[in-house]
Amino acid sequence: MQKIKRNRAFLKWAGGKYSLLDKIIPSLPKAELLIEPFFGAGSVSLNAEFNQYQLNDINTDLVSLYNIVQQQPIAFTEALAPMFVASTNLSEFYYQKRAEFNNTTDPFRRAVLFVYLNRHGYNGLCRYNSKGGFNVPFGRYVKPKLPSQEILQFAKRFKNASFTNLNYKESMLQAPEETVIYCDPPYIPISKTASFTQYAANGFTIEDQRELGDLASKLVKEKKLTIVISNHDTALTREFYKDAKIKSFSAKRFISQNASTRKPVKELLAIFDSNN
């Protein structure tokens, strides 16, 4: 198997795909354009070789951050550096900056604070309360890393990419012919305590999961496309992706907070191909 060059995302991200690149990348056929309707931290596009990228996410803060990094990478890393010293890695400082983030409307400052909170907050979570306030607690890391090189690499790779803040359906419906779409939606929970659907202020429901599978089936019948979807391997996902080719595997991701009960989980890739 061809060795995959691995570029790391500059954000920590719950459910990130860095550890699964050897499963995902070979499942993406060659094409001019890759569309990601659920871009997240971007590990897949950072490592997949396409000439064009349309990168979408429903999280407004995330898309604003990426547009700023794309346009002003050096100024952004210089502004971020003072946030990664010993005096900023304290809970009191963290909660002050979290409050500032939730009150500021300045896009550049908000982007700097977003990265600070992401690298210092608990477990790489991106979570908002019902009023849209970021509410991830302090992470208590020994020495959070300033991801300056990763930010510059991100800006270089996606210099000409398009970042959009749309509903995933809008992003997919705009896809031209001969396109690959990779979808990494919030996963269907496999236990009552494993739901990460409050990624943005609005959740991603079971009905949304069903509609994603239906839309993928519809689009590959209407256009010459390939759509690849990641999710947990469950009876529901197999039902929702019944028109797709399924690749199942064990993932090194753990869902339990109790270390004594952590187990690897089964995931799948659903490949919808108009040539099938």
Side-chain angles (χ1 to χ4, degrees):
M1 181 180 293
Q2 182 180 0
K3 185 175 178 60
I4 298 170
K5 179 184 177 182
R6 296 192 172 187
N7 299 310
R8 282 196 177 273
F10 68 84
L11 294 175
K12 297 171 63 177
W13 211 250
K17 291 298 178 287
Y18 183 81
S19 65
L20 299 178
L21 291 175
D22 61 339
K23 304 289 187 184
I24 298 170
I25 300 296
S27 299
L28 304 177
K30 291 183 179 180
E32 184 72 12
L33 172 65
L34 175 64
I35 296 176
E36 283 208 56
F38 306 87
F39 184 59
S43 287
V44 171
S45 283
L46 277 167
N47 291 280
E49 295 298 332
F50 290 80
N51 291 327
Q52 299 178 36
Y53 300 89
Q54 290 182 8
L55 309 172
N56 178 79
D57 203 278
I58 198 172
N59 186 312
T60 304
D61 291 319
L62 197 60
V63 175
S64 177
L65 164 64
Y66 290 152
N67 278 309
I68 288 169
V69 166
Q70 181 190 53
Q71 296 157 19
Q72 306 174 67
I74 295 175
F76 185 79
T77 55
E78 289 176 349
L80 190 62
M83 304 294 289
F84 284 77
V85 296
S87 60
T88 66
N89 190 27
L90 301 170
S91 61
E92 295 83 1
F93 186 90
Y94 176 87
Y95 289 116
Q96 288 173 5
K97 296 308 168 187
R98 193 179 76 173
E100 181 186 348
F101 174 82
N102 285 330
N103 285 286
T104 186
T105 57
D106 177 76
F108 191 92
R109 180 60 177 169
R110 194 170 173 88
V112 169
L113 290 170
F114 187 93
V115 177
Y116 165 77
L117 294 171
N118 171 265
R119 303 291 297 197
H120 291 76
Y122 178 74
N123 208 28
L125 294 177
C126 182
R127 190 183 65 196
Y128 299 80
N129 60 28
S130 60
K131 296 181 180 179
F134 189 87
N135 67 353
V136 176
F138 183 55
R140 302 188 184 281
Y141 297 105
V142 174
K143 189 178 181 180
K145 177 182 180 291
L146 170 65
S148 54
Q149 292 304 310
E150 291 87 347
I151 290 171
L152 295 176
Q153 170 64 23
F154 184 100
K156 180 180 179 181
R157 186 174 185 88
F158 298 132
K159 180 179 179 180
N160 299 312
S162 170
F163 292 101
T164 57
N165 182 213
L166 305 171
N167 178 279
Y168 79 89
K169 294 179 184 177
E170 295 177 76
S171 175
M172 293 175 71
L173 288 168
Q174 293 177 6
E177 298 274 345
E178 307 288 349
T179 296
V180 176
I181 302 175
Y182 172 67
C183 296
D184 183 25
Y187 277 18
I188 287 182
I190 54 177
S191 75
K192 291 182 180 180
T193 60
S195 175
F196 294 102
T197 57
Q198 290 305 316
Y199 155 66
N202 53 326
F204 199 78
T205 66
I206 291 295
E207 187 56 33
D208 290 322
Q209 300 277 2
R210 183 188 302 276
E211 289 178 359
L212 172 59
D214 290 345
L215 180 58
S217 297
K218 176 177 180 290
L219 284 177
V220 297
K221 291 174 184 175
E222 296 176 351
K223 298 181 181 182
K224 192 172 183 182
L225 300 170
T226 299
I227 301 174
V228 179
I229 306 176
S230 291
N231 216 316
H232 283 138
D233 188 350
T234 69
L236 273 179
T237 49
R238 285 183 174 260
E239 175 189 339
F240 297 161
Y241 307 150
K242 60 184 181 298
D243 295 333
K245 176 183 176 182
I246 301 294
K247 293 184 178 180
S248 181
F249 51 90
S250 292
K252 296 178 182 179
R253 183 173 296 115
F254 300 98
I255 62 166
S256 175
Q257 293 182 3
N258 186 338
S260 65
T261 61
R262 289 177 179 173
K263 297 179 180 179
V265 297
K266 292 290 288 184
E267 296 199 12
L268 60 73
L269 290 173
I271 303 172
F272 296 81
D273 192 337
S274 58
N275 295 321
N276 286 348

